[in-house]
Amino acid sequence: MVLFRRLLGDVLRERRMQLGMTLREVSAEARVSLGYISEIERGQKEASSELLASLCSALDAPLSEVLREVSDAVAVEEAAAALVTIPVKRRDPVVASAA
């Protein structure tokens, strides 16, 4: 099962690391507790829309861009899951008669 909160956390963490920011810096900029941001990044907590907007602002990232990246990650995971869970039905071989 694809967990949106886990993929959102992955995207936010990747963005933070690309900027070279620490959790403490994002926490101060977004005015959100460091521990809560950590839980969001690890996919353990859901971010409200207001909180997500604050995090995006602190990371200088448009909300639409973050959500697009998460959407792309969801699509990849869904495709991977489909490859694993689709059963293959075998048909009986066709027997040709010698006429």
Side-chain angles (χ1 to χ4, degrees), residues 44-90:
Q44 295 177 335
K45 294 285 185 182
E46 297 276 351
S48 68
S49 57
E50 293 86 0
L51 179 68
L52 185 54
S54 290
L55 291 174
C56 287
S57 178
L59 295 170
D60 196 30
L63 176 61
S64 59
E65 186 176 310
V66 169
L67 293 177
R68 191 174 305 112
E69 288 180 36
V70 175
S71 177
D72 290 347
V74 168
V76 167
E77 288 215 4
E78 286 176 336
L83 291 174
V84 173
T85 60
I86 296 177
V88 176
K89 291 184 180 180
R90 295 182 182 238

mmCIF file of all heavy atoms in Angstrom, residues 44-90:
data_model
loop_
_atom_site.group_PDB
_atom_site.id
_atom_site.type_symbol
_atom_site.label_atom_id
_atom_site.label_comp_id
_atom_site.label_asym_id
_atom_site.label_seq_id
_atom_site.Cartn_x
_atom_site.Cartn_y
_atom_site.Cartn_z
ATOM 1 N N GLN A 44 5.694 9.402 9.854
ATOM 2 C CA GLN A 44 4.970 8.963 11.044
ATOM 3 C C GLN A 44 3.800 9.868 11.403
ATOM 4 O O GLN A 44 2.914 9.466 12.138
ATOM 5 C CB GLN A 44 5.926 8.865 12.234
ATOM 6 C CG GLN A 44 6.978 7.801 12.037
ATOM 7 C CD GLN A 44 7.969 7.755 13.172
ATOM 8 O OE1 GLN A 44 8.185 8.750 13.869
ATOM 9 N NE2 GLN A 44 8.590 6.609 13.363
ATOM 10 N N LYS A 45 3.817 11.094 10.899
ATOM 11 C CA LYS A 45 2.745 12.058 11.178
ATOM 12 C C LYS A 45 2.240 12.649 9.878
ATOM 13 O O LYS A 45 2.987 12.809 8.921
ATOM 14 C CB LYS A 45 3.241 13.211 12.073
ATOM 15 C CG LYS A 45 3.639 12.813 13.464
ATOM 16 C CD LYS A 45 2.435 12.532 14.320
ATOM 17 C CE LYS A 45 2.902 12.251 15.751
ATOM 18 N NZ LYS A 45 1.814 11.919 16.617
ATOM 19 N N GLU A 46 0.956 12.984 9.874
ATOM 20 C CA GLU A 46 0.341 13.665 8.737
ATOM 21 C C GLU A 46 0.534 15.172 8.926
ATOM 22 O O GLU A 46 0.380 15.684 10.031
ATOM 23 C CB GLU A 46 -1.167 13.383 8.702
ATOM 24 C CG GLU A 46 -1.531 11.938 8.508
ATOM 25 C CD GLU A 46 -1.527 11.508 7.055
ATOM 26 O OE1 GLU A 46 -1.395 12.382 6.166
ATOM 27 O OE2 GLU A 46 -1.640 10.303 6.815
ATOM 28 N N ALA A 47 0.858 15.859 7.854
ATOM 29 C CA ALA A 47 0.994 17.308 7.906
ATOM 30 C C ALA A 47 -0.322 17.950 7.487
ATOM 31 O O ALA A 47 -0.879 17.601 6.449
ATOM 32 C CB ALA A 47 2.118 17.768 6.990
ATOM 33 N N SER A 48 -0.808 18.891 8.295
ATOM 34 C CA SER A 48 -2.001 19.643 7.894
ATOM 35 C C SER A 48 -1.631 20.551 6.728
ATOM 36 O O SER A 48 -0.443 20.786 6.449
ATOM 37 C CB SER A 48 -2.512 20.491 9.066
ATOM 38 O OG SER A 48 -1.583 21.535 9.344
ATOM 39 N N SER A 49 -2.619 21.084 6.060
ATOM 40 C CA SER A 49 -2.339 21.970 4.931
ATOM 41 C C SER A 49 -1.598 23.223 5.392
ATOM 42 O O SER A 49 -0.687 23.706 4.705
ATOM 43 C CB SER A 49 -3.629 22.342 4.200
ATOM 44 O OG SER A 49 -4.555 22.934 5.081
ATOM 45 N N GLU A 50 -1.934 23.745 6.574
ATOM 46 C CA GLU A 50 -1.256 24.924 7.099
ATOM 47 C C GLU A 50 0.208 24.612 7.420
ATOM 48 O O GLU A 50 1.108 25.391 7.115
ATOM 49 C CB GLU A 50 -1.960 25.453 8.360
ATOM 50 C CG GLU A 50 -3.341 26.008 8.112
ATOM 51 C CD GLU A 50 -4.430 24.936 8.146
ATOM 52 O OE1 GLU A 50 -4.119 23.737 8.360
ATOM 53 O OE2 GLU A 50 -5.601 25.301 7.944
ATOM 54 N N LEU A 51 0.429 23.476 8.037
ATOM 55 C CA LEU A 51 1.789 23.077 8.383
ATOM 56 C C LEU A 51 2.609 22.831 7.128
ATOM 57 O O LEU A 51 3.766 23.266 7.030
ATOM 58 C CB LEU A 51 1.766 21.814 9.253
ATOM 59 C CG LEU A 51 3.129 21.285 9.671
ATOM 60 C CD1 LEU A 51 3.797 22.245 10.625
ATOM 61 C CD2 LEU A 51 3.001 19.929 10.277
ATOM 62 N N LEU A 52 2.022 22.177 6.156
ATOM 63 C CA LEU A 52 2.716 21.915 4.902
ATOM 64 C C LEU A 52 3.083 23.228 4.206
ATOM 65 O O LEU A 52 4.182 23.367 3.671
ATOM 66 C CB LEU A 52 1.855 21.033 3.998
ATOM 67 C CG LEU A 52 2.485 20.578 2.695
ATOM 68 C CD1 LEU A 52 3.824 19.884 2.934
ATOM 69 C CD2 LEU A 52 1.539 19.655 1.949
ATOM 70 N N ALA A 53 2.183 24.190 4.233
ATOM 71 C CA ALA A 53 2.467 25.499 3.646
ATOM 72 C C ALA A 53 3.650 26.159 4.358
ATOM 73 O O ALA A 53 4.525 26.744 3.704
ATOM 74 C CB ALA A 53 1.234 26.395 3.712
ATOM 75 N N SER A 54 3.705 26.053 5.688
ATOM 76 C CA SER A 54 4.830 26.624 6.443
ATOM 77 C C SER A 54 6.144 25.938 6.090
ATOM 78 O O SER A 54 7.173 26.595 5.933
ATOM 79 C CB SER A 54 4.593 26.496 7.951
ATOM 80 O OG SER A 54 3.568 27.346 8.364
ATOM 81 N N LEU A 55 6.107 24.614 5.970
ATOM 82 C CA LEU A 55 7.321 23.872 5.620
ATOM 83 C C LEU A 55 7.786 24.226 4.213
ATOM 84 O O LEU A 55 8.987 24.425 3.983
ATOM 85 C CB LEU A 55 7.075 22.368 5.737
ATOM 86 C CG LEU A 55 6.873 21.834 7.155
ATOM 87 C CD1 LEU A 55 6.484 20.360 7.115
ATOM 88 C CD2 LEU A 55 8.111 22.055 7.997
ATOM 89 N N CYS A 56 6.855 24.320 3.286
ATOM 90 C CA CYS A 56 7.218 24.680 1.906
ATOM 91 C C CYS A 56 7.825 26.074 1.863
ATOM 92 O O CYS A 56 8.811 26.304 1.155
ATOM 93 C CB CYS A 56 5.999 24.592 0.991
ATOM 94 S SG CYS A 56 5.495 22.895 0.634
ATOM 95 N N SER A 57 7.258 26.981 2.611
ATOM 96 C CA SER A 57 7.799 28.337 2.665
ATOM 97 C C SER A 57 9.219 28.329 3.228
ATOM 98 O O SER A 57 10.122 28.971 2.689
ATOM 99 C CB SER A 57 6.890 29.226 3.520
ATOM 100 O OG SER A 57 7.425 30.522 3.619
ATOM 101 N N ALA A 58 9.428 27.580 4.306
ATOM 102 C CA ALA A 58 10.758 27.487 4.921
ATOM 103 C C ALA A 58 11.767 26.856 3.968
ATOM 104 O O ALA A 58 12.957 27.181 4.011
ATOM 105 C CB ALA A 58 10.678 26.679 6.216
ATOM 106 N N LEU A 59 11.291 25.965 3.107
ATOM 107 C CA LEU A 59 12.171 25.274 2.154
ATOM 108 C C LEU A 59 12.207 25.983 0.796
ATOM 109 O O LEU A 59 12.797 25.471 -0.154
ATOM 110 C CB LEU A 59 11.702 23.824 1.975
ATOM 111 C CG LEU A 59 11.803 22.950 3.220
ATOM 112 C CD1 LEU A 59 11.092 21.625 2.995
ATOM 113 C CD2 LEU A 59 13.258 22.727 3.596
ATOM 114 N N ASP A 60 11.571 27.150 0.732
ATOM 115 C CA ASP A 60 11.533 27.940 -0.502
ATOM 116 C C ASP A 60 11.064 27.088 -1.681
ATOM 117 O O ASP A 60 11.673 27.087 -2.753
ATOM 118 C CB ASP A 60 12.899 28.563 -0.783
ATOM 119 C CG ASP A 60 12.815 29.678 -1.818
ATOM 120 O OD1 ASP A 60 11.762 30.332 -1.880
ATOM 121 O OD2 ASP A 60 13.797 29.874 -2.564
ATOM 122 N N ALA A 61 9.996 26.340 -1.435
ATOM 123 C CA ALA A 61 9.458 25.427 -2.449
ATOM 124 C C ALA A 61 7.973 25.692 -2.621
ATOM 125 O O ALA A 61 7.227 25.683 -1.640
ATOM 126 C CB ALA A 61 9.678 23.984 -2.019
ATOM 127 N N PRO A 62 7.522 25.921 -3.848
ATOM 128 C CA PRO A 62 6.079 26.074 -4.059
ATOM 129 C C PRO A 62 5.353 24.784 -3.660
ATOM 130 O O PRO A 62 5.835 23.684 -3.942
ATOM 131 C CB PRO A 62 5.951 26.310 -5.562
ATOM 132 C CG PRO A 62 7.318 26.709 -6.027
ATOM 133 C CD PRO A 62 8.283 26.058 -5.083
ATOM 134 N N LEU A 63 4.227 24.936 -3.001
ATOM 135 C CA LEU A 63 3.429 23.778 -2.584
ATOM 136 C C LEU A 63 3.100 22.900 -3.782
ATOM 137 O O LEU A 63 3.180 21.669 -3.699
ATOM 138 C CB LEU A 63 2.150 24.244 -1.884
ATOM 139 C CG LEU A 63 1.166 23.163 -1.466
ATOM 140 C CD1 LEU A 63 1.800 22.194 -0.477
ATOM 141 C CD2 LEU A 63 -0.085 23.790 -0.884
ATOM 142 N N SER A 64 2.763 23.522 -4.902
ATOM 143 C CA SER A 64 2.402 22.742 -6.092
ATOM 144 C C SER A 64 3.561 21.867 -6.557
ATOM 145 O O SER A 64 3.360 20.737 -6.992
ATOM 146 C CB SER A 64 1.966 23.669 -7.232
ATOM 147 O OG SER A 64 3.016 24.568 -7.573
ATOM 148 N N GLU A 65 4.774 22.366 -6.437
ATOM 149 C CA GLU A 65 5.942 21.581 -6.850
ATOM 150 C C GLU A 65 6.160 20.388 -5.926
ATOM 151 O O GLU A 65 6.440 19.278 -6.379
ATOM 152 C CB GLU A 65 7.180 22.474 -6.855
ATOM 153 C CG GLU A 65 8.426 21.812 -7.404
ATOM 154 C CD GLU A 65 9.578 22.790 -7.476
ATOM 155 O OE1 GLU A 65 9.399 23.891 -8.015
ATOM 156 O OE2 GLU A 65 10.663 22.438 -6.959
ATOM 157 N N VAL A 66 6.014 20.615 -4.629
ATOM 158 C CA VAL A 66 6.173 19.523 -3.660
ATOM 159 C C VAL A 66 5.111 18.460 -3.907
ATOM 160 O O VAL A 66 5.419 17.264 -3.961
ATOM 161 C CB VAL A 66 6.107 20.064 -2.212
ATOM 162 C CG1 VAL A 66 5.990 18.923 -1.202
ATOM 163 C CG2 VAL A 66 7.329 20.930 -1.909
ATOM 164 N N LEU A 67 3.867 18.888 -4.086
ATOM 165 C CA LEU A 67 2.795 17.919 -4.322
ATOM 166 C C LEU A 67 2.982 17.183 -5.647
ATOM 167 O O LEU A 67 2.660 16.001 -5.748
ATOM 168 C CB LEU A 67 1.431 18.617 -4.270
ATOM 169 C CG LEU A 67 1.036 19.156 -2.893
ATOM 170 C CD1 LEU A 67 -0.293 19.894 -2.972
ATOM 171 C CD2 LEU A 67 0.977 18.045 -1.860
ATOM 172 N N ARG A 68 3.520 17.857 -6.645
ATOM 173 C CA ARG A 68 3.795 17.195 -7.931
ATOM 174 C C ARG A 68 4.850 16.105 -7.749
ATOM 175 O O ARG A 68 4.714 15.007 -8.289
ATOM 176 C CB ARG A 68 4.263 18.224 -8.967
ATOM 177 C CG ARG A 68 4.318 17.689 -10.381
ATOM 178 C CD ARG A 68 4.637 18.770 -11.414
ATOM 179 N NE ARG A 68 3.710 19.893 -11.345
ATOM 180 C CZ ARG A 68 4.038 21.134 -10.941
ATOM 181 N NH1 ARG A 68 5.276 21.410 -10.597
ATOM 182 N NH2 ARG A 68 3.152 22.088 -10.895
ATOM 183 N N GLU A 69 5.889 16.414 -6.985
ATOM 184 C CA GLU A 69 6.938 15.413 -6.733
ATOM 185 C C GLU A 69 6.375 14.218 -5.973
ATOM 186 O O GLU A 69 6.712 13.068 -6.268
ATOM 187 C CB GLU A 69 8.102 16.033 -5.965
ATOM 188 C CG GLU A 69 8.938 16.987 -6.790
ATOM 189 C CD GLU A 69 10.090 17.580 -5.998
ATOM 190 O OE1 GLU A 69 10.670 16.869 -5.154
ATOM 191 O OE2 GLU A 69 10.400 18.763 -6.233
ATOM 192 N N VAL A 70 5.510 14.485 -5.005
ATOM 193 C CA VAL A 70 4.886 13.397 -4.249
ATOM 194 C C VAL A 70 3.986 12.585 -5.177
ATOM 195 O O VAL A 70 4.011 11.348 -5.149
ATOM 196 C CB VAL A 70 4.091 13.930 -3.038
ATOM 197 C CG1 VAL A 70 3.339 12.799 -2.339
ATOM 198 C CG2 VAL A 70 5.009 14.631 -2.055
ATOM 199 N N SER A 71 3.230 13.255 -6.017
ATOM 200 C CA SER A 71 2.357 12.564 -6.970
ATOM 201 C C SER A 71 3.162 11.656 -7.896
ATOM 202 O O SER A 71 2.764 10.515 -8.157
ATOM 203 C CB SER A 71 1.572 13.586 -7.793
ATOM 204 O OG SER A 71 0.781 12.943 -8.754
ATOM 205 N N ASP A 72 4.302 12.144 -8.370
ATOM 206 C CA ASP A 72 5.165 11.324 -9.226
ATOM 207 C C ASP A 72 5.664 10.094 -8.469
ATOM 208 O O ASP A 72 5.699 8.992 -9.011
ATOM 209 C CB ASP A 72 6.361 12.134 -9.733
ATOM 210 C CG ASP A 72 5.962 13.197 -10.750
ATOM 211 O OD1 ASP A 72 4.820 13.160 -11.254
ATOM 212 O OD2 ASP A 72 6.804 14.096 -11.023
ATOM 213 N N ALA A 73 6.031 10.277 -7.205
ATOM 214 C CA ALA A 73 6.510 9.155 -6.389
ATOM 215 C C ALA A 73 5.397 8.140 -6.148
ATOM 216 O O ALA A 73 5.632 6.930 -6.168
ATOM 217 C CB ALA A 73 7.068 9.669 -5.058
ATOM 218 N N VAL A 74 4.175 8.629 -5.947
ATOM 219 C CA VAL A 74 3.021 7.738 -5.772
ATOM 220 C C VAL A 74 2.818 6.914 -7.040
ATOM 221 O O VAL A 74 2.620 5.691 -6.984
ATOM 222 C CB VAL A 74 1.734 8.523 -5.428
ATOM 223 C CG1 VAL A 74 0.494 7.642 -5.540
ATOM 224 C CG2 VAL A 74 1.831 9.125 -4.034
ATOM 225 N N ALA A 75 2.896 7.555 -8.193
ATOM 226 C CA ALA A 75 2.708 6.848 -9.466
ATOM 227 C C ALA A 75 3.755 5.759 -9.653
ATOM 228 O O ALA A 75 3.436 4.650 -10.098
ATOM 229 C CB ALA A 75 2.757 7.842 -10.629
ATOM 230 N N VAL A 76 4.992 6.047 -9.290
ATOM 231 C CA VAL A 76 6.062 5.051 -9.409
ATOM 232 C C VAL A 76 5.777 3.860 -8.496
ATOM 233 O O VAL A 76 5.897 2.705 -8.910
ATOM 234 C CB VAL A 76 7.437 5.678 -9.090
ATOM 235 C CG1 VAL A 76 8.507 4.619 -8.905
ATOM 236 C CG2 VAL A 76 7.834 6.667 -10.184
ATOM 237 N N GLU A 77 5.381 4.136 -7.255
ATOM 238 C CA GLU A 77 5.093 3.040 -6.316
ATOM 239 C C GLU A 77 3.880 2.229 -6.754
ATOM 240 O O GLU A 77 3.861 1.014 -6.614
ATOM 241 C CB GLU A 77 4.922 3.579 -4.900
ATOM 242 C CG GLU A 77 6.241 4.025 -4.309
ATOM 243 C CD GLU A 77 6.337 3.776 -2.821
ATOM 244 O OE1 GLU A 77 5.413 3.174 -2.226
ATOM 245 O OE2 GLU A 77 7.364 4.174 -2.262
ATOM 246 N N GLU A 78 2.866 2.896 -7.288
ATOM 247 C CA GLU A 78 1.691 2.167 -7.773
ATOM 248 C C GLU A 78 2.068 1.257 -8.944
ATOM 249 O O GLU A 78 1.618 0.120 -9.014
ATOM 250 C CB GLU A 78 0.600 3.140 -8.210
ATOM 251 C CG GLU A 78 -0.122 3.803 -7.064
ATOM 252 C CD GLU A 78 -1.139 4.829 -7.523
ATOM 253 O OE1 GLU A 78 -1.013 5.373 -8.640
ATOM 254 O OE2 GLU A 78 -2.066 5.092 -6.738
ATOM 255 N N ALA A 79 2.885 1.774 -9.832
ATOM 256 C CA ALA A 79 3.311 0.965 -10.980
ATOM 257 C C ALA A 79 4.129 -0.232 -10.518
ATOM 258 O O ALA A 79 3.949 -1.344 -11.011
ATOM 259 C CB ALA A 79 4.119 1.822 -11.957
ATOM 260 N N ALA A 80 5.022 -0.001 -9.565
ATOM 261 C CA ALA A 80 5.843 -1.099 -9.041
ATOM 262 C C ALA A 80 4.963 -2.143 -8.358
ATOM 263 O O ALA A 80 5.165 -3.342 -8.527
ATOM 264 C CB ALA A 80 6.892 -0.564 -8.078
ATOM 265 N N ALA A 81 3.972 -1.686 -7.606
ATOM 266 C CA ALA A 81 3.069 -2.617 -6.928
ATOM 267 C C ALA A 81 2.250 -3.411 -7.943
ATOM 268 O O ALA A 81 2.007 -4.601 -7.754
ATOM 269 C CB ALA A 81 2.142 -1.859 -5.982
ATOM 270 N N ALA A 82 1.854 -2.768 -9.015
ATOM 271 C CA ALA A 82 1.072 -3.456 -10.043
ATOM 272 C C ALA A 82 1.898 -4.542 -10.711
ATOM 273 O O ALA A 82 1.386 -5.608 -11.036
ATOM 274 C CB ALA A 82 0.565 -2.461 -11.085
ATOM 275 N N LEU A 83 3.173 -4.295 -10.893
ATOM 276 C CA LEU A 83 4.039 -5.295 -11.500
ATOM 277 C C LEU A 83 4.171 -6.527 -10.617
ATOM 278 O O LEU A 83 4.308 -7.640 -11.102
ATOM 279 C CB LEU A 83 5.431 -4.718 -11.773
ATOM 280 C CG LEU A 83 5.509 -3.664 -12.868
ATOM 281 C CD1 LEU A 83 6.922 -3.087 -12.928
ATOM 282 C CD2 LEU A 83 5.123 -4.255 -14.211
ATOM 283 N N VAL A 84 4.104 -6.331 -9.332
ATOM 284 C CA VAL A 84 4.283 -7.427 -8.388
ATOM 285 C C VAL A 84 2.989 -8.189 -8.156
ATOM 286 O O VAL A 84 3.000 -9.398 -8.024
ATOM 287 C CB VAL A 84 4.819 -6.876 -7.038
ATOM 288 C CG1 VAL A 84 4.848 -7.945 -5.978
ATOM 289 C CG2 VAL A 84 6.196 -6.281 -7.230
ATOM 290 N N THR A 85 1.860 -7.496 -8.143
ATOM 291 C CA THR A 85 0.621 -8.134 -7.707
ATOM 292 C C THR A 85 -0.280 -8.627 -8.829
ATOM 293 O O THR A 85 -1.287 -9.253 -8.554
ATOM 294 C CB THR A 85 -0.203 -7.177 -6.824
ATOM 295 O OG1 THR A 85 -0.514 -6.007 -7.579
ATOM 296 C CG2 THR A 85 0.555 -6.797 -5.571
ATOM 297 N N ILE A 86 0.045 -8.353 -10.046
ATOM 298 C CA ILE A 86 -0.817 -8.809 -11.134
ATOM 299 C C ILE A 86 -0.539 -10.276 -11.428
ATOM 300 O O ILE A 86 0.558 -10.636 -11.831
ATOM 301 C CB ILE A 86 -0.604 -7.967 -12.412
ATOM 302 C CG1 ILE A 86 -1.027 -6.527 -12.153
ATOM 303 C CG2 ILE A 86 -1.381 -8.560 -13.584
ATOM 304 C CD1 ILE A 86 -0.782 -5.604 -13.316
ATOM 305 N N PRO A 87 -1.528 -11.149 -11.202
ATOM 306 C CA PRO A 87 -1.309 -12.569 -11.479
ATOM 307 C C PRO A 87 -1.324 -12.819 -12.987
ATOM 308 O O PRO A 87 -2.041 -12.158 -13.728
ATOM 309 C CB PRO A 87 -2.480 -13.262 -10.797
ATOM 310 C CG PRO A 87 -3.543 -12.221 -10.717
ATOM 311 C CD PRO A 87 -2.835 -10.888 -10.624
ATOM 312 N N VAL A 88 -0.538 -13.753 -13.391
ATOM 313 C CA VAL A 88 -0.479 -14.118 -14.805
ATOM 314 C C VAL A 88 -1.356 -15.338 -15.003
ATOM 315 O O VAL A 88 -1.166 -16.367 -14.356
ATOM 316 C CB VAL A 88 0.978 -14.422 -15.228
ATOM 317 C CG1 VAL A 88 1.032 -14.886 -16.668
ATOM 318 C CG2 VAL A 88 1.850 -13.206 -15.002
ATOM 319 N N LYS A 89 -2.318 -15.210 -15.895
ATOM 320 C CA LYS A 89 -3.196 -16.340 -16.198
ATOM 321 C C LYS A 89 -2.599 -17.094 -17.375
ATOM 322 O O LYS A 89 -2.234 -16.520 -18.381
ATOM 323 C CB LYS A 89 -4.597 -15.856 -16.556
ATOM 324 C CG LYS A 89 -5.332 -15.260 -15.390
ATOM 325 C CD LYS A 89 -6.733 -14.901 -15.796
ATOM 326 C CE LYS A 89 -7.479 -14.289 -14.621
ATOM 327 N NZ LYS A 89 -8.849 -13.937 -14.992
ATOM 328 N N ARG A 90 -2.504 -18.382 -17.210
ATOM 329 C CA ARG A 90 -1.983 -19.211 -18.291
ATOM 330 C C ARG A 90 -3.162 -19.831 -19.022
ATOM 331 O O ARG A 90 -4.098 -20.318 -18.417
ATOM 332 C CB ARG A 90 -1.067 -20.288 -17.751
ATOM 333 C CG ARG A 90 0.160 -19.705 -17.124
ATOM 334 C CD ARG A 90 1.072 -20.819 -16.633
ATOM 335 N NE ARG A 90 2.216 -20.211 -16.004
ATOM 336 C CZ ARG A 90 3.465 -20.438 -16.393
ATOM 337 N NH1 ARG A 90 3.715 -21.260 -17.365
ATOM 338 N NH2 ARG A 90 4.455 -19.859 -15.764
#
